Amino acid sequence: YSHTLQISEPNEFDIMLVMPVTRLQLDECDDTGAYYYVTFKRNPKEKYLLKFLDEDGKLSAFKMLQALREIIKREVKNIKNVEVTVKRKKRGSPAITLQIKNPPAEISVDIILTLKVQHSWPPSTQDGLKIEQWLGRKVRGEFRNKSLYLVAKQNKREKVLRGNTWRLSFSHIEKAMINNHGSSKTCCESDGPKCCRKGCLKLLKYLLEQLKMKYPKELDKFCSYHVKTAFFHSCVTWPNDTDWHLGDLDRCFQKYLGYFLECLQKSQLPHFFIPQYNLLSLEDKASSDFLSRQINYELNNRFPIFQE
């Protein structure tokens, strides 16, 4: 199955709209260690942000998104040669989605409001990013010295949904790890040895996408981030480039898939950067079991879904 696979054309894109902010105070707003309230330390440089504070002086993601949405709506009207529309807001989704109709295909672009903060990584990340054996201690240190990113994201566990929570985002680090994924510096460079790590990630992403298309309601809880997180844990479990030989794609994929199935079975997939944050909560056990069954069926029947 591995050699005939044509992974579908990308038609969804994410763009982070990054706003640099100097001094902020972050307060955890629950036990996930991922969601924060943001307040300013005294007299901030960013005076223009003061109008987005809520009554408690917290920076309101909701207010900022509302304003950003209006700006984008206004600007989109000025685009002449391409048909661009701003999609209706989806509940709980912080993104502002642009629909771009331009043959041959239609694409959608999510604009994600992001704060880039000069702030050390919070305590909840202390024991995360366990990449010492895989990418090395030095790389881990370099990553942890990078800025902190916070995205406007509604926390579903919040008692009162006021929409003023922000979630830590590590997508810049995740991208760096996927691009420089080898324990040897030359892995997958033009003259270096090739591995199948990215191939495995693409396959499982594609498998989940296809299953989600088939069972949208049952698999609503799952997204590619689950697959990506399991991928990073797998890279740590099998840290050597020899564990991911290009010619071994089938075997490597099954190992990675096996790990993902274990996570589903236990309903436990720790966030790669925030280990206390479990991405598969027990209340979603039913959907984990459902996904588990579907994947096992595919596995035992040589992946009919890849042939469709």
Side-chain angles (χ1 to χ4, degrees), residues 264-282:
L264 291 172
Q265 220 171 350
K266 296 188 295 218
S267 239
Q268 196 138 51
L269 175 59
H271 190 289
F272 192 64
F273 298 81
I274 309 169
Q276 72 196 56
Y277 181 22
N278 179 15
L279 297 177
L280 297 175
S281 60
L282 272 170

Side-chain angles (χ1 to χ4, degrees), residues 126-282:
Q126 196 51 57
D127 300 324
L129 192 57
K130 282 256 157 284
I131 57 172
E132 290 88 347
Q133 303 304 309
W134 166 36
L135 299 174
R137 185 170 306 146
K138 189 161 149 249
V139 173
R140 183 178 190 266
E142 285 164 11
F143 282 158
R144 288 187 54 98
N145 274 328
K146 292 194 188 307
S147 294
L148 198 58
Y149 285 78
L150 292 160
V151 296
K153 182 75 176 107
Q154 187 61 69
N155 181 2
K156 293 184 185 58
R157 306 181 189 200
E158 221 189 349
K159 325 266 173 298
V160 195
L161 289 178
R162 276 206 310 271
N164 59 2
T165 58
W166 298 82
R167 191 185 62 200
L168 294 179
S169 165
F170 300 94
S171 55
H172 55 310
I173 312 283
E174 290 158 7
K175 195 174 172 177
M177 290 194 296
I178 289 170
N179 288 338
N180 294 302
H181 52 252
S183 49
S184 92
K185 291 264 180 290
T186 55
C187 188
C188 288
E189 283 183 3
S190 51
D191 46 353
K194 307 279 181 281
C195 80
C196 65
R197 286 182 182 89
K198 276 179 162 175
C200 288
L201 176 59
K202 278 184 181 162
L203 271 176
L204 190 45
K205 263 184 155 166
Y206 182 73
L207 177 58
L208 180 63
E209 258 167 52
Q210 297 302 99
L211 288 171
K212 274 176 72 81
M213 267 152 60
K214 217 167 165 179
Y215 308 105
K217 273 214 298 290
E218 295 86 342
L219 297 179
D220 176 49
K221 292 274 188 290
F222 292 96
C223 63
S224 64
Y225 197 70
H226 290 100
V227 167
K228 201 170 158 187
T229 299
F231 172 71
F232 293 133
H233 286 301
S234 297
C235 287
V236 165
T237 307
W238 299 288
N240 302 314
D241 297 343
T242 49
D243 298 324
W244 300 90
H245 260 303
L246 188 56
D248 283 343
L249 178 67
D250 303 7
R251 199 178 49 82
C252 295
F253 179 60
Q254 298 208 18
K255 238 175 15 176
Y256 165 36
L257 194 57
Y259 170 76
F260 187 57
L261 283 166
E262 262 172 55
C263 295
L264 291 172
Q265 220 171 350
K266 296 188 295 218
S267 239
Q268 196 138 51
L269 175 59
H271 190 289
F272 192 64
F273 298 81
I274 309 169
Q276 72 196 56
Y277 181 22
N278 179 15
L279 297 177
L280 297 175
S281 60
L282 272 170

